[in-house]
Amino acid sequence: MSKKIHFVSGLPRSCSTLLCNLLAQNPRVHSTPSSALHEVGYIARQVYAAEEAKAVDMKKVLEPMYLDYVKAGCENAYNKITDRPVVADKSRAWIGSADLVFRIWPNAKILVPIRDMRGIVSSMEKKRSQHPSFMNGIEQQDPSHWTTIEKRAAGWIQAAPVGIAVERLHEVVRRFKNKLMFINAKDLTENTQSVMNNVWEYLEEDPFVHDTSNVEQYTQENDVGFPYGDHVIRQEVKPLKDDWNEVLGYELSEQIKEKFEWINNL
């Protein structure tokens, strides 16, 4: 039986895992960890370069075939995984393919977790401090660009996973802002039930009362982004700490705030 599918796609370190596990408290919803579903449809785009595909009309045959294939595939991909009728599929790549998503599902619902960029960068710095022996790929290539907190902040803002996510967010806001629902991590952790009430309304689902003192870890994820991709949630929802001045320093924090204040205004 086809599922009703929604999408969770936003910035890293912005409580997307918490959001997915809150969604899964509703017995109607199967929420995912970081999902490969987007990549199935993305890889399938290679069909356009195949010799066999060139034998058919691209506009009248191949493109509608591809769009129907992806739609049916996404809506049926979880049939053997869960009996729950609604799926919230999480991937930061969805907002990078929003034009395709809205072409397939004109009324698609995309939940976009966001966070003050100062909180994201300070979270990355804290993870690095907890595991000082680890070197990511970019740091291995050029350690000299990771020697100070200012350089590391600039590196995270420009590189994956933060940089590309911000670029995708900026573009999707420019084109589809009114179709999206932005979930601010600070609001989610401070006013959980109120935020989730709005989420259920946006998803056109009945209201659901959440137990914020006992959030089960429904999603299980192989953490390929160690140490920055920690996807284990606390059992009890607690407000995020605005500790960026202590972690990054006031001057750097203010520079980041000025550059990315647009995110806080979403």
Side-chain angles (χ1 to χ4, degrees):
M1 180 178 179
S2 296
K3 309 291 187 187
K4 184 178 182 181
I5 188 163
H6 303 305
F7 307 95
V8 179
S9 184
L11 299 179
R13 313 303 306 160
S14 297
C15 296
S16 61
T17 302
L18 172 61
L19 174 61
C20 284
N21 282 280
L22 286 167
L23 290 168
Q25 283 192 322
N26 187 330
R28 280 182 48 80
V29 179
H30 171 76
S31 58
T32 77
S34 297
S35 167
L37 185 60
H38 172 275
E39 301 312 302
V40 174
Y42 187 84
I43 292 171
R45 294 169 74 174
Q46 296 179 18
V47 69
Y48 285 97
E51 289 298 319
E52 292 82 356
K54 295 175 182 178
V56 301
D57 187 297
M58 290 283 182
K59 186 175 181 180
K60 295 182 179 179
V61 178
L62 187 59
E63 186 176 33
M65 182 185 295
Y66 171 80
L67 296 174
D68 284 344
Y69 172 86
V70 174
K71 183 177 189 294
C74 288
E75 293 176 354
N76 290 278
Y78 290 97
N79 286 345
K80 293 184 178 179
I81 296 173
T82 180
D83 292 331
R84 298 186 178 197
V86 179
V87 173
D89 189 90
K90 186 182 83 167
S91 170
R92 284 195 291 269
W94 285 119
I95 57 171
S97 299
D99 51 352
L100 182 60
V101 170
F102 289 119
R103 176 72 183 277
I104 298 173
W105 298 275
N107 298 313
K109 307 294 185 181
I110 305 181
L111 300 170
V112 185
I114 59 173
R115 184 179 181 183
D116 191 306
M117 184 60 73
R118 295 171 294 179
I120 294 175
V121 175
S122 64
S123 179
M124 300 291 281
E125 178 66 15
K126 286 187 289 185
K127 288 296 180 183
R128 184 182 189 277
S129 297
Q130 292 168 7
H131 304 278
S133 63
F134 180 81
M135 293 179 66
N136 62 31
I138 300 175
E139 184 175 359
Q140 290 178 26
Q141 293 174 9
D142 192 353
S144 66
H145 279 82
W146 293 82
T147 54
T148 68
I149 195 167
E150 290 80 9
K151 287 182 177 180
R152 290 193 293 274
W156 285 316
I157 288 171
Q158 294 172 8
V162 179
I164 189 173
V166 173
E167 289 178 358
R168 287 167 171 166
L169 177 63
H170 188 273
E171 179 67 7
V172 79
V173 167
R174 184 182 69 84
R175 299 181 61 194
F176 301 108
K177 182 179 180 180
N178 293 335
K179 287 178 169 283
L180 313 172
M181 181 173 186
F182 302 98
I183 311 295
N184 190 292
K186 183 177 178 65
D187 292 340
L188 181 64
T189 58
E190 292 182 355
N191 306 294
T192 309
Q193 185 63 59
S194 177
V195 171
M196 293 306 296
N197 287 344
N198 293 333
V199 168
W200 294 121
E201 181 178 1
Y202 171 73
L203 298 181
E204 300 178 347
E205 292 284 336
D206 292 336
F208 182 84
V209 178
H210 292 271
D211 182 355
T212 59
S213 63
N214 185 29
V215 183
E216 177 187 354
Q217 182 84 44
Y218 181 89
T219 63
Q220 302 297 324
E221 185 157 343
N222 295 326
D223 189 3
V224 297
F226 178 88
Y228 305 107
D230 183 5
H231 295 96
V232 178
I233 61 169
R234 300 184 183 93
Q235 186 176 31
E236 182 179 1
V237 180
K238 295 182 178 181
L240 295 173
K241 295 180 180 180
D242 296 341
D243 58 358
W244 43 72
N245 287 339
E246 292 81 3
V247 177
L248 306 176
Y250 177 79
E251 183 177 348
L252 178 57
S253 294
E254 287 300 296
Q255 291 173 3
I256 295 171
K257 176 186 178 182
E258 181 178 355
K259 185 174 182 179
F260 295 102
E261 185 67 17
W262 62 272
I263 294 176
N264 296 335
N265 295 327
L266 292 174

